[in-house]
Amino acid sequence: MRQLDLLAVELGDPQTHCRTRPQENAAVDSRSHRDTAQLALESHLDALRERLSDLKRIGGSPAADADTRLQLARTLVNLGRGAEAWPLGRESFNYFLSADDFESAADACDVLFQAEQPDSTCALGQGIWLAVTCPIDPELSIELLGHVIDETPQDADGAAVAASTALFLADVRAQGKHREDLMFFSTQTLGQVARQHSGVETPEQLDRWMDRLGLKEPEQFLVRLRQVVDVLVRDDWWFDREALQDRLPFA
């Protein structure tokens, strides 16, 4: 119908053929931008594959190999080729975890989730567990929790639990301007979740809502987050959690 409507306008207005249509120009510009971005990603992919071959040839370090594989996986995900990205991201995850590089392991989980494969939600659960348990960049932790917020139905409590955890991590892990920015972002996210979940609009309503859902005390909402993670992982853990906790710096 939209095409027919456009045809009717053109037939009714002889001047239409003499004018430049902004919508068409915008569509052409958008396609051109997508094509340019696609070519840039494919070029980056070729460069990463060449780098991986060089690392194999010269006997590069396992860390460099894992990092390159993760970059390859991320680029493939951005190209919409999640099935190809999955084994690369999974290999990287295994290496980073064995090397106690928990931040990179959580980052690999983020890539694996975005690959949209059968076990992607399981990967997200592993990544969130690492993000909350290990002392990693709070920005990455908040990004992982953001996937739960985005994917949870508005009337379910999972998004509220994830948003409260994100605000908590921003508060206790970040510092300086970084903390201010993450606290502001996380506070806005929590307010948005509250509006979608229960129609919360005022600070007083927010306070009552947080009380009702047990979102004020970490010992309450972190227990509920553990339940969310269990649902995501479905008892398919890729590592021994107790053994990993024993290796942490503060263990």
Side-chain angles (χ1 to χ4, degrees):
M1 290 299 295
R2 186 174 299 172
Q3 292 174 335
L4 293 177
D5 291 343
L6 178 61
L7 180 59
V9 170
E10 290 182 346
L11 290 175
D13 183 4
Q15 298 301 316
T16 300
H17 297 284
C18 303
R19 293 197 299 265
T20 299
R21 290 186 287 275
Q23 296 90 341
E24 290 187 2
N25 287 343
V28 170
D29 289 343
S30 178
R31 285 195 299 271
S32 176
H33 177 73
R34 287 197 302 270
D35 291 343
T36 300
Q38 180 89 0
L39 288 172
L41 284 171
E42 290 176 352
S43 177
H44 185 53
L45 187 68
D46 291 339
L48 288 170
R49 283 175 168 158
E50 185 175 347
R51 182 185 177 197
L52 189 62
S53 296
D54 289 342
L55 288 170
K56 290 180 180 179
R57 178 173 51 80
I58 65 175
S61 70
D65 182 89
D67 181 68
T68 304
R69 288 178 187 276
L70 183 56
Q71 291 185 55
L72 269 169
R74 197 188 314 275
T75 305
L76 286 165
V77 165
N78 289 334
L79 286 166
R81 293 158 62 178
E84 295 176 61
W86 182 268
L88 292 164
R90 192 71 168 81
E91 290 171 20
S92 296
F93 171 85
N94 290 340
Y95 169 77
F96 291 132
L97 199 67
S98 68
D100 288 352
D101 185 350
F102 304 121
E103 185 168 313
S104 294
D107 191 23
C109 288
D110 186 37
V111 173
L112 290 169
F113 172 73
Q114 295 183 62
E116 298 183 344
Q117 297 303 296
D119 285 336
S120 285
T121 54
C122 179
L124 177 59
Q126 321 270 343
I128 290 173
W129 190 93
L130 290 170
V132 174
T133 306
C134 306
I136 72 173
D137 182 359
E139 189 167 349
L140 174 57
S141 303
I142 291 169
E143 183 175 347
L144 286 161
L145 290 162
H147 295 314
V148 174
I149 296 169
D150 293 339
E151 300 294 328
T152 302
Q154 292 183 1
D155 58 349
D157 294 350
V161 172
S164 296
T165 304
L167 182 59
F168 168 70
L169 294 178
D171 184 23
V172 300
R173 289 189 181 170
Q175 296 180 351
K177 183 63 164 56
H178 191 215
R179 179 181 179 277
E180 291 178 14
D181 292 342
L182 291 181
M183 287 285 289
F184 177 80
F185 173 79
S186 299
T187 300
Q188 294 295 310
T189 300
L190 182 62
Q192 182 179 359
V193 168
R195 282 191 295 274
Q196 294 173 342
H197 183 277
S198 297
V200 170
E201 295 293 344
T202 68
E204 293 76 18
Q205 290 175 334
L206 180 64
D207 189 68
R208 290 194 297 270
W209 177 76
M210 293 184 70
D211 265 334
R212 178 167 59 85
L213 295 182
L215 302 178
K216 289 186 175 181
E217 301 299 330
E219 55 267 25
Q220 295 182 39
F221 61 74
L222 289 179
V223 169
R224 300 187 66 190
L225 180 69
R226 191 181 308 145
Q227 296 169 350
V228 173
V229 168
D230 286 341
V231 171
L232 293 171
V233 174
R234 302 184 303 275
D235 204 29
D236 184 21
W237 288 98
W238 299 344
F239 53 89
D240 184 329
R241 287 166 289 170
E242 291 185 3
L244 187 152
Q245 285 179 306
D246 289 341
R247 303 201 306 269
L248 292 176
F250 48 79

